[in-house]
Amino acid sequence: MAIISPAKAASEPTNRKDHEFEGGISLFLSGEHRELLAGIMLPKRVKSGTYLLWEGEDAQNLYYIRSGRVKLRKTTEEGKDLILSLMQKGDLIGEMAHGGNVTYSFSAEVIEDAEVGVLPWKDLERLLAANGSLAFPFMNWLGHMNRVTQSKIRDLLLFGKQGALASTLIRLGNSFGIPCKDGIVLDIKLTNTEIADMIGTARESVNRMLSAYKDEGVIDIREGRIVILRLESLRKICNCSACPLEICRM
C-alpha cells in the first residue's frame, strides 16, 4: 500500500486542490483520447443526494466524473448495504455493456455536488470501433480496476476486522488525505456506520476499534474528521505490501 507523507512544516491542512487525488481512467487517457470522449459526452450537473444509477437498471450509460464525489453501493439479498468505492475526479462509473442486456451491479449516489459527462454505451462502442488506439486505454483501465478490486478483497479477507479497518483508513488517506502538522486529515466526513459498510462489519465493532486506535494515538477525531497520526502502525496491522498509490485507493 502506498502512503502519502505528511508535510511536517504545515500547521494546518493545506488547500485540497493542491493535493486532490485523480485516478481511474484519467491515468490512461492522452489529450487526444480525452477530446474524442468529450465529443460524445453529455454534460450533466448532479446535486448531492441524487443517484446517477440504480442497481438492477439497464446499463445504458457510463459516467465520467469531472468534479464531485460518488459513492458506489451494493445491497445484498439480506438487505445489507456495502460501500464498494468512493469515486471522484477522473473516475469512470458504469458497466461495459457489450454483448447483450447488462444491468448495473451497484447503485451510484452523489455525495458531493458533481459535474459528470454521460457516455451512452452505444455511442462509446461506435467510437471504440472507429478509433482502435482508444480501445487500449480502456483495456488498461479495466485491468487496473481489477487490480484495485483484488487488493481490496485481499485486505478485507486475509487480515480480519482490524486489518480491514487499517487498510481502509490508509486507502482513505491516499484518496482524500491532506497533510497537516501531525499527520493526515481526511477531507471527507464519514460516519462509523459508513466505515462499517466499507469493511462488511457491524458499526459497534468499528466504534470499538476506532476508540482503541484513538487511545493508542494512532488516529484522532477532529470536527468529525479522522486524522491519521501514526501511519506505520496502520501498515503493520494490515501487513502493508506497498501497493502503488493508484491501486491503494478507495
Side-chain angles (χ1 to χ4, degrees), residues 22-250:
E22 183 172 353
I25 198 168
S26 65
L27 295 171
F28 305 98
L29 297 175
S30 67
E32 180 182 355
H33 294 149
R34 290 172 189 254
E35 289 182 7
L36 287 172
L37 288 177
I40 63 169
M41 281 186 191
L42 306 174
K44 183 176 183 179
R45 294 179 181 269
V46 192
K47 291 290 186 181
S48 177
T50 303
Y51 278 77
L52 283 176
L53 56 91
W54 290 91
E55 184 176 354
E57 285 184 338
D58 290 340
Q60 298 180 355
N61 300 312
L62 288 87
Y63 299 87
Y64 180 81
I65 304 178
R66 289 172 167 158
S67 66
R69 293 170 179 171
V70 179
K71 179 196 301 180
L72 303 190
R73 182 198 307 271
K74 184 170 184 63
T75 303
T76 67
E77 292 182 358
E78 295 77 22
K80 179 176 175 57
D81 281 341
L82 299 174
I83 296 176
L84 304 177
S85 298
L86 296 175
M87 313 295 273
Q88 54 185 311
K89 181 180 178 181
D91 280 318
L92 185 66
I93 299 171
E95 305 279 3
M96 302 300 281
H98 177 72
N101 296 326
V102 176
T103 60
Y104 295 118
S105 59
F106 52 83
S107 299
E109 178 189 1
V110 177
I111 59 174
E112 180 184 282
D113 289 354
E115 293 185 11
V116 302
V118 182
L119 286 165
W121 169 247
K122 291 182 178 180
D123 293 345
L124 177 59
E125 191 172 30
R126 285 193 291 267
L127 182 64
L128 291 173
N131 297 272
S133 66
L134 183 58
F136 286 101
F138 271 83
M139 292 172 58
N140 290 332
W141 167 69
L142 287 171
H144 165 77
M145 294 308 294
N146 186 49
R147 289 182 63 197
V148 172
T149 300
Q150 288 179 348
S151 71
K152 287 183 180 180
I153 293 173
R154 176 199 64 205
D155 293 343
L156 293 176
L157 294 182
L158 295 185
F159 306 115
K161 294 178 182 178
Q162 290 280 355
L165 178 58
S167 166
T168 298
L169 291 175
I170 293 172
R171 291 174 187 276
L172 286 167
N174 287 337
S175 298
F176 304 104
I178 300 176
C180 61
K181 181 179 181 180
D182 50 356
I184 297 171
V185 58
L186 302 187
D187 184 34
I188 185 170
K189 287 187 176 181
L190 296 166
T191 67
N192 287 3
T193 298
E194 288 175 314
I195 296 174
D197 289 345
M198 291 177 185
I199 64 176
T201 192
R203 176 181 57 81
E204 293 78 11
S205 296
V206 170
N207 291 348
R208 289 193 294 270
M209 289 187 287
L210 288 178
S211 293
Y213 287 174
K214 186 175 180 181
D215 291 342
E216 295 165 5
V218 176
I219 68 166
D220 196 8
I221 310 292
R222 301 171 187 170
E223 298 182 354
R225 288 182 168 84
I226 294 175
V227 182
I228 299 172
L229 303 176
R230 288 166 43 193
L231 283 168
E232 285 303 317
S233 296
L234 294 177
R235 296 184 68 181
K236 290 178 181 177
I237 293 170
C238 62
N239 293 279
C240 177
S241 56
C243 298
L245 175 61
E246 61 270 18
I247 297 298
C248 182
R249 54 157 296 181
M250 289 303 300

Side-chain angles (χ1 to χ4, degrees), residues 4-23:
I4 58 175
S5 301
K8 295 299 182 182
S11 59
E12 296 293 339
T14 53
N15 189 304
R16 174 175 172 263
K17 293 182 179 179
D18 294 334
H19 299 272
E20 189 170 25
F21 177 92
E22 183 172 353

